[in-house]
Amino acid sequence: MKLLRFGAPGQERPGILDAHGAIRDLSGVVEDIAGEVLSDAGLDRLRGIDPESLPRVDGDPRLGPCVAGVGKFLGIGLNYADHAAETGMDLPEEPIVFAKATSCIVGPNDDVQMPKTSDKLDWEVELGVIIGTRAKNVSEAEALNHVAGYCVVNDVSERAFQAKRSGQWTKGKSHDGFGPIGPWLVTRDEVPDPQNLAMYTEVNGHRYQDGSTKTMHFGVATIVAHLSEFMTLHPGDVIATGTPPGVGMGLNPRVFLKIGDVMELSVAGLGVQRQTVVRSE
């Protein structure tokens, strides 16, 4: 299934794509794409519904973040062998974990705000993992059973904030608009191998990132199990699992985003995002 949320910011309604790619309104069935709906039992109930029996959503509505009620938005750093190579850094012995503020989460096609003092704004296409059931101290063998599904994430990053402003990476990862999620939550049964997904980023039509989850250093199961050792993962938590090479910081010469630039990002089978860079309020 491909689940989504549509409507104005803060007023999104739950939806599902039918076999023809049309949006069907799920608001008469569930309150939102969140909580218990993300469990295996909740998703099985949705599978029992014929999408074409639901009201069709006409027009071209705004798409919101594909999951609501995100309690934790976690990122994994330097998790692609080829990306680590372009940065000149060694691969870590354990996953590098950082947090993105949940206030940065926006829809897949919403504008990305450039902070007023920014001059090193960068893109990162990532495979997003959405937790479906509580996970605490789970094994790698059990880990994927706690995943509701997958989505595209743009881990937008301000590199000067991240590296030069002291403290954790969170400063460079959390400005408003730095977390486009979606367009869809694709349930895990439709992604049999999360370690074999092509992915790309284009800026103004030029392809900078052209990679695959094959080059992940730590796979999805390892990441979920590892995180569950240190914190309990809850339904709706989102994990951005790292990015392949081709980020602006890794190019020679470096390339950073400017006002008016348009990003297009995709992970195979998970849809396409498009964002325009705008000046922050």
Side-chain angles (χ1 to χ4, degrees):
M1 292 184 295
K2 294 180 174 65
L3 304 176
L4 55 96
R5 301 170 67 248
F6 64 95
Q11 301 176 38
E12 292 93 347
R13 300 168 71 174
I16 187 171
L17 286 189
D18 68 19
H20 307 288
I23 298 174
R24 300 286 177 159
D25 191 343
L26 272 174
S27 59
V29 181
V30 295
E31 184 174 343
D32 213 335
I33 308 299
E36 192 275 336
V37 172
L38 300 170
S39 69
D40 285 351
L43 295 174
D44 283 344
R45 283 194 292 272
L46 294 184
R47 287 190 187 94
I49 298 168
D50 178 5
E52 297 198 16
S53 70
L54 300 170
R56 181 185 173 110
V57 179
D58 294 325
D60 187 22
R62 169 192 173 267
L63 296 180
C66 60
V67 62
V70 179
K72 292 189 285 297
F73 191 4
L74 302 170
I76 306 298
L78 290 177
N79 193 35
Y80 280 66
D82 38 8
H83 173 53
E86 77 171 342
T87 66
M89 300 179 73
D90 293 333
L91 286 166
E93 294 183 6
E94 290 192 359
I96 296 172
V97 180
F98 61 89
K100 290 174 74 78
T102 56
S103 55
C104 81
I105 295 173
V106 291
N109 304 317
D110 289 346
D111 293 337
V112 166
Q113 295 187 32
M114 177 178 283
K116 292 182 178 180
T117 55
S118 168
D119 61 1
K120 292 181 173 60
L121 193 64
D122 207 347
W123 57 83
E124 293 190 31
V125 63
E126 309 210 0
L127 172 65
V129 177
I130 299 172
I131 298 298
T133 54
R134 180 180 180 272
K136 182 174 183 178
N137 290 322
V138 302
S139 67
E140 287 191 31
E142 300 170 325
L144 295 187
N145 295 330
H146 294 271
V147 173
Y150 302 92
C151 66
V152 184
V153 173
N154 186 358
D155 176 21
V156 182
S157 305
E158 213 302 332
R159 301 303 189 184
F161 292 4
Q162 178 182 351
K164 304 295 184 182
R165 297 295 297 272
S166 299
Q168 300 177 341
W169 289 5
T170 303
K171 287 182 180 180
K173 300 283 189 174
S174 296
H175 192 270
D176 294 351
F178 277 23
I181 295 178
W184 317 308
L185 183 165
V186 180
T187 51
R188 74 171 189 269
D189 58 299
E190 294 194 8
V191 186
D193 185 3
Q195 306 309 147
N196 188 24
L197 301 174
M199 56 209 308
Y200 72 81
T201 300
E202 294 180 353
V203 180
N204 302 328
H206 180 82
R207 184 160 295 197
Y208 285 100
Q209 291 188 282
D210 194 359
S212 170
T213 58
K214 287 181 179 179
T215 66
M216 271 191 191
H217 183 44
F218 301 107
V220 173
T222 301
I223 290 168
V224 172
H226 182 77
L227 289 172
S228 78
E229 178 184 353
F230 301 99
M231 65 193 81
T232 301
L233 301 174
H234 294 102
D237 286 350
V238 176
I239 307 165
T241 56
T243 198
V247 298
M249 178 183 67
L251 301 174
N252 186 16
R254 292 181 170 184
V255 177
F256 294 113
L257 293 163
K258 307 180 299 299
I259 301 298
D261 283 351
V262 177
M263 292 175 280
E264 178 178 296
L265 309 91
S266 182
V267 178
L270 306 185
V272 178
Q273 299 185 346
R274 292 182 182 87
Q275 301 111 26
T276 300
V277 179
V278 301
R279 194 174 305 280
S280 179
E281 302 170 356

